Amino acid sequence: MFTISSHIYMLYISNIMLELVNISYSWEIITMNISTSKKMVMGVSLIIGGLILLSLKILDSTLSLAIVNTGTIIVIAAYALEKRRPHVQHDELSRQISAKATSYSWMITLILISVLVLVHHYQLIMLTVQGSLAAIFIVMNASFLGYRWWFNKTGKI
Amino acid sequence: MRTTIKKFRQLKGLTQQELADMVRVRRETVVFLEKGTYNPSLQLAHDVSRVLGTRIEELFLFEE
């Protein structure tokens, strides 16, 4: 009885220690003098790396999860800090870019729906409801993100 | 459209980020304004000219 409870106690303490190490490493990265996007990339890389290590069982699962935790803390903290920065995130240019990207994305989606209707009418491909909806969802989001990226890059509205 | 924003900004000793913060836009917007690729709203043009201590028609030059 004593052995089991002391084992659980030690496990609890070691987990707390691991989380403290996590937080200290995360803090080191968050306070680095690099752009938020680089911090985000580092955080996401740690999450993906941790998940790969977890799925391939290269490391102990506790350590892999600790890496995922560290990445998650970095992503959330970097996002929160970016939102608190005094400078404006959504100025008139970014609003115009979002509006134009949305309208272009809608146009692309309408074209896709028209194509899907024709494909269905002439039975060129056997369409399912799930497949059609997935295609529309993916194309709409991808085209919006693509156009927004392009307008942000060129600045021409 | 050509702009003289960069010249006036450098005369004032401001960085692009500082100017962006003062007129409450993103730094990228200042970059595109300086390149002349973005036509700003009248409000933004007014704010930029006020911060740089000049007139709008001195900042934005339209070739006819």
Side-chain angles (χ1 to χ4, degrees):
Chain A
M1 188 68 182
F2 175 76
T3 316
I4 291 169
S5 63
S6 66
H7 176 71
I8 290 169
Y9 182 71
M10 287 304 290
L11 199 64
Y12 184 66
I13 294 289
S14 66
N15 271 340
I16 290 173
M17 293 294 285
L18 199 59
E19 284 305 318
L20 286 174
V21 171
N22 261 347
I23 292 166
S24 65
Y25 274 121
S26 309
W27 183 251
E28 285 293 322
I29 293 172
I30 290 160
T31 51
M32 278 167 79
N33 191 23
I34 54 171
S35 67
T36 306
S37 55
K38 282 180 185 166
K39 288 175 193 170
M40 287 281 196
V41 168
M42 288 170 83
V44 171
S45 305
L46 281 172
I47 292 171
I48 294 168
L51 289 173
I52 290 168
L53 289 173
L54 191 66
S55 59
L56 297 178
K57 295 177 181 169
I58 295 167
L59 278 180
D60 181 61
S61 62
T62 315
L63 286 172
S64 305
L65 282 173
I67 294 169
V68 174
N69 278 349
T70 309
T72 311
I73 291 168
I74 290 165
V75 169
I76 293 171
Y79 179 75
L81 287 173
E82 182 65 23
K83 292 292 277 184
R84 284 182 174 216
R85 282 178 70 182
H87 70 262
V88 178
Q89 295 300 307
H90 299 290
D91 60 358
E92 62 176 48
L93 178 59
S94 55
R95 278 197 295 272
Q96 286 177 27
I97 284 172
S98 290
K100 196 165 181 179
T102 305
S103 62
Y104 275 46
S105 167
W106 269 102
M107 188 60 74
I108 295 272
T109 309
L110 280 175
I111 293 167
L112 174 70
I113 290 169
S114 308
V115 170
L116 289 177
V117 167
L118 287 172
V119 165
H120 177 69
H121 184 261
Y122 292 108
Q123 302 213 326
L124 299 172
I125 304 169
M126 287 304 290
L127 292 171
T128 60
V129 175
Q130 291 96 331
S132 307
L133 287 175
I136 291 167
F137 180 79
I138 290 165
V139 167
M140 184 182 260
N141 283 296
S143 59
F144 171 75
L145 292 172
Y147 274 120
R148 197 177 62 172
W149 171 80
W150 176 251
F151 291 136
N152 267 320
K153 189 173 184 292
T154 58
K156 287 178 182 171
I157 297 294
Chain B
M1 180 185 74
R2 283 193 306 115
T3 68
T4 54
I5 294 172
K6 189 175 182 179
K7 189 182 87 178
F8 280 98
R9 176 176 62 78
Q10 287 173 340
L11 279 174
K12 279 266 179 182
L14 294 171
T15 62
Q16 288 177 333
Q17 185 64 63
E18 284 167 345
L19 176 60
D21 290 341
M22 290 167 93
V23 296
R24 299 183 62 74
V25 295
R26 296 182 307 150
R27 190 186 68 81
E28 290 79 6
T29 305
V30 173
V31 172
F32 294 132
L33 280 174
E34 289 186 352
K35 281 184 185 172
T37 52
Y38 174 55
N39 283 330
S41 67
L42 189 58
Q43 178 68 56
L44 179 56
H46 172 264
D47 290 347
V48 172
S49 67
R50 184 175 45 78
V51 167
L52 297 179
T54 183
R55 294 183 302 163
I56 291 176
E57 55 265 38
E58 283 184 277
L59 288 179
F60 300 95
L61 310 171
F62 292 91
E63 288 144 1
E64 295 181 14

